[in-house]
Amino acid sequence: MPLTADPSRVELAALLADVRGSAERLVAGLDGLTDRQAREPSALAGWSRAHVITHLARSADAYRRLLATARTGVEPGPRADAAALDRALRAEAERGAAELLMDLRCSLDGLFDEAAVVPVDRWTALVSALAGWRHPAWFTLHRARRELETHHVDLDLGRTTADWPAGYVAWALDTTAATLAARDFPVARLEATDLGRAWTLAATGPTVRGPGHLLLAWLAGRGPAPQPHGGRLPTAPPWPLPPVPGWG
C-alpha cells in the first residue's frame, strides 16, 4: 500500500493498537521515576527527563486536538505558537516526578479517548501540523507512535533503538527514505540487513547497510552514521520530515 494511501478499518485498528503499545511501554518504563531522576539530563542536549516527559504530554494534547478537529470540522480554539509552547514547556518541566507522570497519563488517556469517538468517515479529514503541512487524521496516529518511540529512547532510562519494534522501524524508514529521495539526498541506497528491506534514494552515492534500527537512529539523529560503502556520508537533515508526496 502506498505510504499516503488511506488505511482500511482493520489497518487503522492495528495502527491504534500499536500506538497504545508504545504508550504502555513508555508509561511502564517511567514507573518509579524519582524527582532526582526527572531532573537528570536526557539524551537530548539541554533537556532534562522532565522536559521530555512534558513534551510528550503536550504532544499528546496536540494530537488529541487534531483528532477533535477532524471529528467536528472545527478547531477547538486558537493554537499556541512555537514560542508559547516552548515557554510552557520550560515552566512545566519544573514539576515533581509524580505530577509529571500524572500529566502524561492524563494526556495519553485523552488522546485515546478522542481516537475512540472519531467516526470512520472522519479519519480521512485533513488537519494541519503546527509546521503547516497537512495530512489526514489517521496519519496523526503514525506521528504519535513516532513521538512515543523516539522520545522513549531519549529519556535514557535503558531503552535503546534496538528495542524499537521492527514494524515501526520499517514504516519510519519507508517514510524517511521517500522524503530523502525527493530531496535528492546524496545516498544511493539504504539496506536494512535484519529486515530484508532496501530503499533506493539516488542514482549515485554511497550505500549504507546495517540493522534497520541503526539506519533509523542515524537518520533520526539518535545514533552515529553506519560505515558507508562507496563514499562519504552526508549529514542527515533535521528529522522527522513531512511525508512525500504528501496531501498538499
Side-chain angles (χ1 to χ4, degrees), residues 19-216:
V19 182
R20 284 188 180 275
S22 296
E24 289 168 358
R25 287 189 295 272
L26 172 69
V27 171
L30 289 168
D31 186 44
L33 187 78
T34 66
D35 289 348
R36 179 183 60 79
Q37 289 173 315
R39 297 287 173 268
E40 289 174 345
S42 72
L44 293 177
W47 274 22
S48 67
R49 292 193 181 102
H51 286 102
V52 176
I53 295 167
T54 301
H55 172 75
L56 282 163
R58 300 292 75 79
S59 294
D61 291 344
Y63 298 140
R64 178 181 60 187
R65 175 193 174 95
L66 292 181
L67 294 185
T69 300
R71 176 174 58 84
T72 64
V74 179
E75 287 213 22
R79 183 186 296 188
D81 61 21
L85 291 173
D86 183 67
R87 288 194 297 271
L89 170 69
R90 304 289 174 180
E92 293 174 8
E94 296 301 317
R95 298 172 295 176
E99 189 176 354
L100 289 165
L101 298 185
M102 181 179 295
D103 181 26
L104 176 61
R105 292 189 189 99
C106 288
S107 292
L108 289 170
D109 286 345
L111 171 62
F112 292 122
D113 287 347
E114 184 61 49
V117 296
V118 176
V120 171
D121 63 337
R122 296 303 296 169
W123 281 104
T124 56
L126 291 179
V127 294
S128 296
L130 184 61
W133 52 280
R134 289 166 65 75
H135 61 78
W138 59 261
F139 194 78
T140 303
L141 298 180
H142 280 297
R143 293 180 61 198
R145 188 185 188 196
R146 179 172 59 195
E147 194 85 2
L148 291 163
E149 291 292 344
T150 304
H151 290 314
H152 195 167
V153 171
D154 292 335
L155 285 167
D156 196 22
L157 287 169
R159 188 170 177 84
T160 71
T161 63
D163 297 312
W164 281 338
Y168 163 70
V169 172
W171 171 81
L173 286 173
D174 279 342
T175 56
T176 302
T179 303
L180 291 175
R183 295 188 174 197
D184 299 318
F185 188 61
V187 166
R189 187 174 172 87
L190 299 173
E191 297 180 2
T193 53
D194 58 331
L195 302 178
R197 298 284 304 279
W199 299 263
T200 298
L201 305 186
T204 61
T207 292
V208 188
R209 299 188 185 97
H213 73 93
L214 293 183
L215 299 181
L216 182 59

